[in-house]
Amino acid sequence: MSEEKNHNKLTTASGRIYVENENSKTVGPRGPILLEDYILHEKMAHFNRERIPERIVHAKGSGAFGTFTVTDDISQYTKAKVFNKIGKKTKVFLRFSTVGGEKGSADTERDPRGFAIKFYTEDGNWDLVGNNTPVFFIKDPKKFSDFIHTQKRDPYTNCKSPTMMWDYWSLTPESLHQVLILMSDRGTPVGYRHMNGYGSHTFSMINARNEKVFVKYHFKTAQGIKNFTDQEAAQMKSKDLDYAQRDLLESIDKGDFPKWNVKIQVMTIDQTRKVDFNPFDITKIWPHSQFPLIDVGVLELNRNPDNYFQDVEQSAFAPAHLVDGLGYSPDKMLQGRLLSYPDAHRYRIGANYEQIPVNRCPFAVNNYERDGSMRVDGNGGKKPNYWPNSYDEIEIDKTYQEPSEQLEDTIADWYDRNSKVGDNDHYSQPRSLFRDVMSKSEQDNTINNTIGAMSGITGPKRDVIINRQLCHWFRMDDEFGSRVAKGLGVDINAVMSGFAGAH
């Protein structure tokens, strides 16, 4: 008897063909519904579970598939196969996002933007998880949950709270560099195509001679930087909450493929010991004058996902996912994220999240991990679920052995993250950004945006928080502090007196 195919026929999730998809089974036309109407149960039960937990941060995002193409030889720094030949192409998936808002928030909020890339290389998937800023608000992962709480909703009012934000930032001067960028017009980019991306953290590369260097990744938009002013961002919020999503989708649909020029900065191990700042501190940049950008390749986005939920919502990135020739660094925030990112994905989409098509390595995956919710890859079949064994053919390839690492210290302790000389300088790099990099109009907009943002501080501690933050702005730049104070209606002489006393 030939097997009837269910192709294009309406079926349940188990493949049972059914007819009635609009009317529940009832006792008479006006009677109660029968418990046996399984189709009703399945539809409602699945509907109740359509929303997986949203990401705690980076909840709202957009994504697309594309290609990374090598344009320059960097084999002197790394043996990673993704970089091993000029002209080599590697498929990628890139997810952009806002950081602090929920899935329904506006794309034009003043917020950093996530910039996470999955490279599908023949040595496994490499995830580079960064932002559109080269620095971050904090330098130790133990501070992360507290920081994010201030960007979310007040537990009493259930509203966003400028008071919470500025209270935290004013008590955490290491945040000043990132806050300055956030208050500039780069805090409201025109969609995702017109902003840069950064790996932000310090990573490492290892070459064929097992020589190690440290690197920073930069993705420079080929479309040019474009930002909304604060007023334009607010207007767009009222017109189109999904502006960045729509802009990215439509540009790719019409063949206007966005591109980014990929570059790296390189620092030798010896140089890390000689620079006058901590090169593993994510609140600091590496000056381009000392560590110039080196061309690597071009990243292009050229295909929209067929289904947003399948690929964008279920995509999962983790900086722990590296490949041979690439490595980590002592960057504390990076070290914390090596654990927290995979843990977040296991909570949100399950222990087998890497079997979801957008996350799955398209090349060989061989290990002894078994079972768990939603195991869909055959679960290893008859093969042993232990190692070593006498039956399968999985081998250890020792050519992939990573070199040993010389650590700087042998004493474990809870060290003050700002204790070493230079680590407590939270002002010189923001000062240089404001004075030397920003144009006059960018300076004016940043000051006005800061005044507008700090005007939202309320409550009995309002003056304390404002004055504390003003002290940080004055330490960075007198003009910046003076103009913000004036815009907030604060007595500048009183603030300056307090500032002098703080020294």
Side-chain angles (χ1 to χ4, degrees):
M1 185 175 179
S2 63
E3 185 179 281
E4 182 180 2
K5 296 187 181 296
N6 295 341
H7 183 60
N8 289 340
K9 295 182 180 180
L10 181 63
T11 74
T12 64
S14 62
R16 170 189 170 188
I17 299 172
Y18 71 96
V19 175
E20 191 53 72
N21 198 33
E22 294 185 89
N23 302 301
S24 299
K25 191 172 186 178
T26 60
V27 181
R30 296 186 177 181
I33 294 173
L34 292 180
L35 186 63
E36 72 177 49
D37 192 341
Y38 169 73
I39 308 302
L40 169 64
H41 301 167
E42 178 175 291
K43 290 184 70 175
M44 291 306 299
H46 190 278
F47 176 76
N48 287 342
R49 292 161 176 80
E50 281 184 358
R51 297 295 176 264
I52 61 178
E54 72 172 36
R55 293 165 170 87
I56 303 300
V57 286
H58 300 275
K60 188 182 184 188
S62 305
F65 293 95
T67 306
F68 167 69
T69 304
V70 177
T71 59
D72 292 80
D73 181 10
I74 58 168
S75 58
Q76 68 189 95
Y77 304 120
T78 179
K79 58 185 175 181
K81 292 179 182 176
V82 66
F83 300 119
N84 68 1
K85 182 181 178 182
I86 292 178
K88 182 167 186 172
K89 296 182 182 295
T90 300
K91 292 182 179 179
V92 302
F93 180 79
L94 197 160
R95 183 178 185 269
F96 306 97
S97 56
T98 50
V99 176
E102 301 92 350
K103 269 186 62 64
S105 58
D107 283 351
T108 55
E109 295 283 1
R110 183 168 301 281
D111 203 8
R113 302 303 193 270
F115 197 99
I117 313 167
K118 190 179 295 290
F119 296 80
Y120 302 99
T121 91
E122 63 262 53
D123 266 350
N125 290 349
W126 167 35
D127 291 349
L128 187 58
V129 186
N131 285 322
N132 71 327
T133 58
V135 295
F136 196 59
F137 296 92
I138 53 175
K139 61 172 78 175
D140 192 299
K142 194 173 278 188
K143 297 174 66 62
F144 187 75
S145 58
D146 294 298
F147 162 63
I148 293 301
H149 285 166
T150 72
Q151 307 301 297
K152 293 292 186 175
R153 294 181 179 272
D154 183 286
Y156 172 63
T157 66
N158 196 41
C159 296
K160 290 295 187 76
S161 170
T163 305
M164 288 168 57
M165 294 182 189
W166 287 103
D167 187 31
Y168 185 86
W169 288 337
S170 68
L171 289 165
T172 312
E174 68 202 64
S175 68
L176 196 72
H177 199 171
Q178 175 76 313
V179 171
L180 180 67
I181 297 173
L182 182 63
M183 290 299 113
S184 77
D185 286 343
R186 293 206 180 194
T188 50
V190 174
Y192 296 128
R193 297 182 299 125
H194 294 284
M195 68 181 196
N196 292 340
Y198 302 89
S200 299
H201 295 292
T202 298
F203 294 91
S204 59
M205 285 182 168
I206 304 165
N207 66 16
R209 297 182 296 278
N210 276 340
E211 297 167 334
K212 184 177 187 176
V213 295
F214 292 104
V215 297
K216 293 272 197 182
Y217 295 99
H218 299 251
F219 296 78
K220 300 292 190 179
T221 174
Q223 291 72 238
I225 294 285
K226 288 185 182 179
N227 300 306
F228 288 121
T229 64
D230 197 52
Q231 294 76 17
E232 290 169 340
Q235 290 171 359
M236 183 56 70
K237 193 190 309 185
S238 67
K239 292 179 183 177
D240 187 355
L241 290 174
D242 305 313
Y243 173 81
Q245 162 72 15
R246 201 178 316 280
D247 175 71
L248 179 69
L249 183 87
E250 292 178 352
S251 68
I252 294 175
D253 271 348
K254 67 184 181 183
D256 183 9
F257 301 143
K259 296 181 177 66
W260 286 261
N261 296 311
V262 184
K263 303 169 186 288
I264 59 171
Q265 288 176 287
V266 174
M267 188 183 296
T268 65
I269 294 175
D270 186 54
Q271 286 173 319
T272 66
R273 302 185 180 115
K274 295 178 178 178
V275 291
D276 58 0
F277 61 93
N278 180 358
F280 310 116
D281 178 352
I282 196 175
T283 68
K284 305 290 193 298
I285 63 158
W286 294 1
H288 291 194
S289 58
Q290 293 176 259
F291 306 97
L293 295 177
I294 299 169
D295 291 327
V296 177
V298 174
L299 187 148
E300 176 187 270
L301 297 181
N302 48 37
R303 180 169 69 86
N304 284 314
D306 290 332
N307 184 277
Y308 178 91
F309 179 87
Q310 174 180 274
D311 293 329
V312 182
E313 188 63 20
Q314 293 193 117
S315 62
F317 306 83
H321 296 163
L322 293 179
V323 294
D324 187 48
L326 306 178
Y328 311 125
S329 84
D331 181 332
K332 288 186 176 68
M333 284 298 296
L334 172 60
Q335 294 281 319
R337 284 171 169 158
L338 299 182
L339 167 70
S340 63
Y341 273 60
D343 185 56
H345 304 322
R346 294 182 192 109
Y347 158 73
R348 193 174 69 91
I349 46 182
N352 292 307
Y353 72 92
E354 291 186 83
Q355 293 177 33
I356 297 171
V358 69
N359 301 322
R360 186 173 60 224
C361 173
F363 301 95
V365 174
N366 299 297
N367 56 47
Y368 299 93
E369 296 172 6
R370 297 289 190 271
D371 308 343
S373 176
M374 297 301 292
R375 188 86 198 200
V376 296
D377 66 346
N379 200 32
K382 299 178 182 179
K383 296 176 182 177
N385 63 352
Y386 61 93
W387 189 90
N389 67 76
S390 305
Y391 304 100
D392 68 25
E393 297 177 350
I394 298 178
E395 299 176 349
I396 303 295
D397 186 345
K398 292 193 175 182
T399 63
Y400 284 77
Q401 179 73 47
E402 295 183 10
S404 59
E405 188 172 357
Q406 181 68 46
L407 300 178
E408 296 292 318
D409 295 292
T410 58
I411 301 172
D413 202 348
W414 289 267
Y415 294 97
D416 183 340
R417 67 192 184 282
N418 293 316
S419 61
K420 296 192 74 171
V421 175
D423 288 359
N424 203 31
D425 176 10
H426 309 305
Y427 307 103
S428 62
Q429 287 202 356
R431 182 184 303 121
S432 177
L433 173 61
F434 178 71
R435 291 181 181 176
D436 305 330
V437 178
M438 291 185 181
S439 66
K440 181 63 168 62
S441 63
E442 288 171 334
Q443 290 177 344
D444 291 342
N445 287 351
T446 303
I447 289 170
N448 290 332
N449 294 340
T450 303
I451 294 169
M454 291 183 66
S455 296
I457 301 172
T458 59
K461 298 288 186 179
R462 177 181 183 273
D463 292 345
V464 173
I465 295 170
I466 286 178
N467 288 339
R468 188 193 297 133
Q469 183 63 40
L470 283 174
C471 283
H472 296 313
W473 291 134
F474 274 112
R475 283 188 174 102
M476 183 195 80
D477 182 84
D478 285 342
E479 180 192 359
F480 193 104
S482 297
R483 290 177 62 184
V484 171
K486 183 177 180 180
L488 293 172
V490 174
D491 184 337
I492 298 176
N493 292 327
V495 174
M496 290 299 289
S497 175
F499 174 58
H503 281 73

